[in-house]
Amino acid sequence: MVHKTGTGRTTKQAFSSRPTIKDVAAKCGVHPSTVSRALSPAMSHLVAPDVAKRIRAAAAALGYQVNVAAAGLRTGRSGLIGVLAPDIADPGFPPILSGVTETLGAEGYATIVVDVGTDCSREQEIVDRLIARGVDGLVLATVTLNDPVVGHCLAASIPVVLVNRTDAGRRLSAVVTDDEAGMRLAVEHLVGLGHIRIGHIAGPQNVSTGALRRAGFKAAAARAGLSAHSIMIEISRAYTREEGRLAALRLLDRKLAPTAIVAANDLLALGIYDALSERGLNCPADVSVVGHNDMPYVDMLSPPLTTVRIAQRKMGNQAARLLLDQIADPTAHRKRLVLEPSLIVRTSTVPPKR
Amino acid sequence: MVHKTGTGRTTKQAFSSRPTIKDVAAKCGVHPSTVSRALSPAMSHLVAPDVAKRIRAAAAALGYQVNVAAAGLRTGRSGLIGVLAPDIADPGFPPILSGVTETLGAEGYATIVVDVGTDCSREQEIVDRLIARGVDGLVLATVTLNDPVVGHCLAASIPVVLVNRTDAGRRLSAVVTDDEAGMRLAVEHLVGLGHIRIGHIAGPQNVSTGALRRAGFKAAAARAGLSAHSIMIEISRAYTREEGRLAALRLLDRKLAPTAIVAANDLLALGIYDALSERGLNCPADVSVVGHNDMPYVDMLSPPLTTVRIAQRKMGNQAARLLLDQIADPTAHRKRLVLEPSLIVRTSTVPPKR
DNA sequence: GAGTGTATTGCAATCGATTGCATAAAGGGT
DNA sequence: ACCCTTTATGCAATCGATTGCAATACACTC
């Protein structure tokens, strides 16, 4: 007769499995709901002070921590925020991320960071997965100008804040820097040094920073009195050092090469340095270079890079705050914060030769 | 009398709230459990092929996605992994993180990355919070040699893998590089160039990389025939550029300054560059410098940095794999993977002057 | 001492999914 | 025809916490 009842199953939960609210309740001889109330700041006024104290003591003794996932199931809030990053390995991004997690962490939220890479279809899927995980909000640092993911998020009516990059329709809240102002600073600096043939290596034109900085470059050049044929623009396909190198080569190989180049991004500027040494040219003697972002350690390059500094950490902080506001009041209208950039002059820019 | 009852509460869930398994079940005229089975690869063989197809179609039509948190409550698995990072802004870390998330993401896990900063007490608390969130495992890149958090994790009997840094007792699985071998490569390279007075800027001695690299430096020097008083060591208090600068100054200000310095970390090497220019010295002419980690863009420094390359991404991949194995079989014994470093020779190292 | 509050606490439903067990229907063998 | 498998589906408990409502106890007023 095989009457062996399930073995090992009876262990129930002995082991070192985490204590639950029931364990605390049992230890105190009260109902779980009382424990829940005692431990919730918002509800603790409903339980007798001495009982509450006893419960808190028991909870501490047992090492009890509320199961956030279980609580979230009931309350509908997971305390999770999804962050989509274009490329974590880009040194320009971590400061933004720091800012986001700092502000969010202070409010008890944890962040799930996903490195999207280039693949745009993946982006949609990633957002869906995060929503399935029950995130309370999303921070997107990846959107392209006409990104389908924007409509997708709107349809899901989930709080979203864009950071660094914005969408064409401006349908979502965003924290960005003034891309046009940044380029104006760069161009005015170069014109002030005496440059009259200036090149620009633009970023991908389907992301706002690429398009806006290019427009800003053109506007600033015109404003500074440079004619249309004294500026030249090459568009890179990605914000990478290699793409920057390729675009810079195209610029340098023109009949009338520029005496200064403004990059839409520091990584592109690194590529310019590569291209220059490849062509046997010297920066800044032959060509001045201006970057954008002031990512960490560009002051250690040879030569130290003149670049447009943007307040990345602050950008992250403010994006997080905007998101928190939006979670607190989902009906609130979308907002747009624009941070002012500043120019950090180092030694990659000098007056043109003779 | 304030008898206003909660308004707006009755909304129930109309809105655009996500569909649940019940909605799918209703639409197909089957029981939720059937839907659950149809949608779970492991259980779908239990439901009739045509019904399963109908269910999948309905789920797709409704845009249904399983609520991972709810499922996790029942199954006890959250699909979440916690990662503790020493400092996200350190360019050396993102590649490790990429590796971890890549491997974990492929298996359906999402990662919560927390930047711990310096504060050690915070670390304990962060781990507790992550456990409360129900993470299925932890990747720690932050442990110190005698970190109380190790015992804490052991007590919680939660799968943990250490990465890059290890604990003194070797009580947890870990993926690290051969710190001693790396220093041997550096020292042998310098000795081969003819250096006979070599300095070392060690990292904090309470983390394994700091202690092991220092030990490795000493061993390699002895092995290469350098006497104890021809090597000199300064210990930095943190892996930062500023601490590197300070330690380098101490080294340079000794009566008999070294002709070459090996840093335990590239960030420290940056500080050496700073200190050198501060003292009016030139690298490599006056002092050769070797870094450690080969973090991104150190090839663009002036001069390009000779450094010990470690396979960060691979380290991340393997740590993730180890963690997955440990989750699959919690009784499995702890493992230790040691990756071999290699030396990348650039132009920051040359033979000593005359 | 009845009436009216007010302060505490318990009860039970609920969130969304999973899964062991029971049941029902269909197929097969003799 | 009957019994025994298989196969497919439904039922209901469960995971851990929260919260509206009900119930009890105690205090206070007149």
Side-chain angles (χ1 to χ4, degrees):
Chain A
M1 308 213 161
V2 194
H3 272 318
K4 305 180 87 167
T5 54
T7 58
R9 173 72 35 68
T10 50
T11 332
K12 206 164 269 190
Q13 63 173 91
F15 237 124
S16 74
S17 153
R18 298 168 47 206
T20 74
I21 199 171
K22 274 189 202 158
D23 299 324
V24 179
K27 176 157 181 174
C28 293
V30 299
H31 194 268
S33 62
T34 305
V35 176
S36 173
R37 284 189 273 254
L39 264 28
S40 152
M43 293 286 161
S44 61
H45 67 105
L46 290 175
V47 13
D50 58 323
V51 177
K53 210 168 91 183
R54 202 153 45 91
I55 291 176
R56 276 192 295 270
L62 261 50
Y64 169 73
Q65 303 241 129
V66 311
N67 179 327
V68 186
L73 182 57
R74 173 68 218 255
T75 60
R77 301 193 14 1
S78 65
L80 248 29
I81 302 289
V83 179
L84 297 215
D87 179 15
I88 309 185
D90 179 337
F93 189 71
I96 297 181
L97 186 57
S98 276
V100 171
T101 56
E102 180 185 40
T103 302
L104 250 24
E107 300 280 339
Y109 285 89
T111 61
I112 298 180
V113 183
V114 186
D115 197 337
V116 177
T118 49
D119 206 338
C120 210
S121 57
R122 247 169 67 74
E123 191 183 7
Q124 189 95 312
E125 186 198 329
I126 289 169
V127 167
D128 279 334
R129 266 223 269 274
L130 286 172
I131 291 179
R133 272 230 149 69
V135 295
D136 295 332
L138 248 23
V139 175
L140 306 183
T142 52
V143 292
T144 54
L145 280 170
N146 288 103
D147 204 320
V149 90
V150 170
H152 197 67
C153 290
L154 248 15
S157 70
I158 180 176
V160 178
V161 173
L162 307 179
V163 66
N164 197 29
R165 303 176 177 186
T166 160
D167 64 314
R170 310 208 160 185
R171 296 148 75 198
L172 292 172
S173 286
V175 182
V176 295
T177 54
D178 190 333
D179 289 309
E180 277 142 316
M183 295 316 281
R184 200 180 320 130
L185 289 173
V187 170
E188 283 174 358
H189 169 62
L190 290 172
V191 169
L193 286 173
H195 289 274
I196 50 174
R197 279 205 320 285
I198 306 180
H200 173 50
I201 295 185
Q205 293 298 297
N206 64 337
V207 319
S208 68
T209 53
L212 255 32
R213 286 174 197 171
R214 173 162 165 248
F217 174 79
K218 291 213 271 197
R223 199 154 163 278
L226 260 40
S227 69
H229 57 268
S230 63
I231 64 172
M232 47 209 97
I233 300 177
E234 285 290 344
I235 295 170
S236 65
R237 280 173 318 195
Y239 282 123
T240 64
R241 179 174 170 181
E242 175 60 8
E243 285 298 322
R245 185 182 71 86
L246 295 172
L249 287 177
R250 293 198 297 270
L251 225 42
L252 296 173
D253 290 347
R254 294 197 180 194
K255 279 131 295 191
L256 223 56
T259 60
I261 305 179
V262 180
N265 169 292
D266 285 341
L267 253 23
L268 295 175
L270 293 190
I272 300 178
Y273 278 26
D274 289 336
L276 286 173
S277 72
E278 200 172 328
R279 284 285 180 271
L281 296 170
N282 177 270
C283 170
D286 299 309
V287 178
S288 288
V289 175
V290 180
H292 195 295
N293 284 10
D294 193 31
M295 69 181 205
Y297 313 117
V298 291
D299 62 316
M300 303 228 45
L301 298 180
S302 161
L305 183 68
T306 293
T307 189
V308 176
R309 171 178 293 175
I310 63 182
Q312 285 135 321
R313 189 181 192 84
K314 191 171 170 194
M315 206 152 83
N317 285 327
Q318 300 201 333
R321 185 108 310 278
L322 236 50
L323 189 59
L324 289 170
D325 293 348
Q326 208 170 127
I327 290 172
D329 176 14
T331 68
H333 221 292
R334 57 144 198 62
K335 274 191 212 135
R336 167 162 309 253
L337 261 41
V338 181
L339 303 183
E340 281 310 304
S342 60
L343 186 72
I344 305 297
V345 178
R346 299 204 180 91
T347 52
S348 67
T349 46
V350 295
K353 283 207 270 201
R354 216 182 19 84
Chain B
M1 243 143 266
V2 195
H3 271 317
K4 305 180 84 164
T5 55
T7 57
R9 173 75 34 67
T10 51
T11 331
K12 204 163 268 189
Q13 66 173 90
F15 238 124
S16 74
S17 150
R18 299 167 47 203
T20 74
I21 199 171
K22 275 189 201 155
D23 300 324
V24 180
K27 176 156 179 174
C28 292
V30 299
H31 194 269
S33 61
T34 306
V35 176
S36 173
R37 283 189 273 254
L39 264 28
S40 152
M43 292 287 161
S44 62
H45 67 103
L46 291 175
V47 15
D50 56 324
V51 178
K53 211 168 86 183
R54 202 154 44 91
I55 291 176
R56 277 193 295 270
L62 262 51
Y64 169 73
Q65 303 239 129
V66 312
N67 180 326
V68 186
L73 181 56
R74 174 67 219 256
T75 62
R77 297 180 37 339
S78 65
L80 248 29
I81 302 290
V83 179
L84 297 215
D87 177 15
I88 309 185
D90 179 339
F93 190 71
I96 297 180
L97 186 56
S98 275
V100 170
T101 57
E102 180 184 40
T103 302
L104 250 23
E107 301 279 339
Y109 285 89
T111 61
I112 297 180
V113 183
V114 186
D115 197 338
V116 177
T118 48
D119 205 338
C120 212
S121 58
R122 248 169 66 74
E123 189 182 8
Q124 189 96 311
E125 186 198 328
I126 289 170
V127 167
D128 279 334
R129 266 224 269 276
L130 286 172
I131 291 178
R133 272 230 147 68
V135 295
D136 295 331
L138 247 25
V139 175
L140 306 183
T142 52
V143 292
T144 53
L145 279 171
N146 288 102
D147 205 320
V149 90
V150 170
H152 196 66
C153 290
L154 247 17
S157 70
I158 180 175
V160 178
V161 173
L162 308 178
V163 66
N164 197 29
R165 302 174 177 187
T166 161
D167 63 313
R170 311 211 160 185
R171 297 148 74 198
L172 291 171
S173 286
V175 181
V176 295
T177 53
D178 190 333
D179 289 309
E180 277 142 315
M183 296 315 281
R184 199 180 319 129
L185 289 172
V187 170
E188 283 174 356
H189 168 62
L190 291 172
V191 169
L193 286 172
H195 290 274
I196 49 173
R197 280 204 319 284
I198 306 181
H200 172 51
I201 296 185
Q205 294 298 297
N206 63 338
V207 320
S208 68
T209 54
L212 256 32
R213 286 173 196 170
R214 172 163 165 250
F217 174 80
K218 291 212 271 197
R223 201 154 163 277
L226 260 41
S227 69
H229 56 268
S230 62
I231 63 172
M232 45 209 98
I233 299 178
E234 285 291 344
I235 294 171
S236 65
R237 279 171 319 193
Y239 282 124
T240 64
R241 179 173 168 181
E242 175 61 9
E243 283 299 323
R245 185 182 72 87
L246 295 172
L249 287 177
R250 291 198 297 271
L251 225 41
L252 295 172
D253 291 345
R254 293 198 181 195
K255 280 130 293 193
L256 222 56
T259 60
I261 305 178
V262 180
N265 170 292
D266 286 341
L267 252 23
L268 295 175
L270 293 189
I272 300 178
Y273 278 26
D274 289 335
L276 251 20
S277 71
E278 201 171 327
R279 285 285 179 269
L281 295 169
N282 177 270
C283 170
D286 299 310
V287 178
S288 288
V289 176
V290 180
H292 196 294
N293 284 11
D294 192 30
M295 69 180 204
Y297 314 116
V298 291
D299 62 317
M300 305 228 44
L301 297 180
S302 161
L305 183 69
T306 293
T307 188
V308 176
R309 171 178 292 175
I310 63 181
Q312 285 134 322
R313 188 182 193 84
K314 189 171 171 193
M315 206 151 83
N317 285 327
Q318 300 200 334
R321 183 111 307 279
L322 235 51
L323 188 60
L324 289 170
D325 292 349
Q326 207 171 127
I327 289 171
D329 176 15
T331 68
H333 220 292
R334 58 144 198 62
K335 275 190 212 134
R336 167 162 310 252
L337 262 40
V338 181
L339 304 182
E340 280 309 305
S342 60
L343 185 73
I344 304 297
V345 178
R346 299 205 179 90
T347 52
S348 66
T349 46
V350 296
K353 283 206 272 201
R354 216 178 21 83

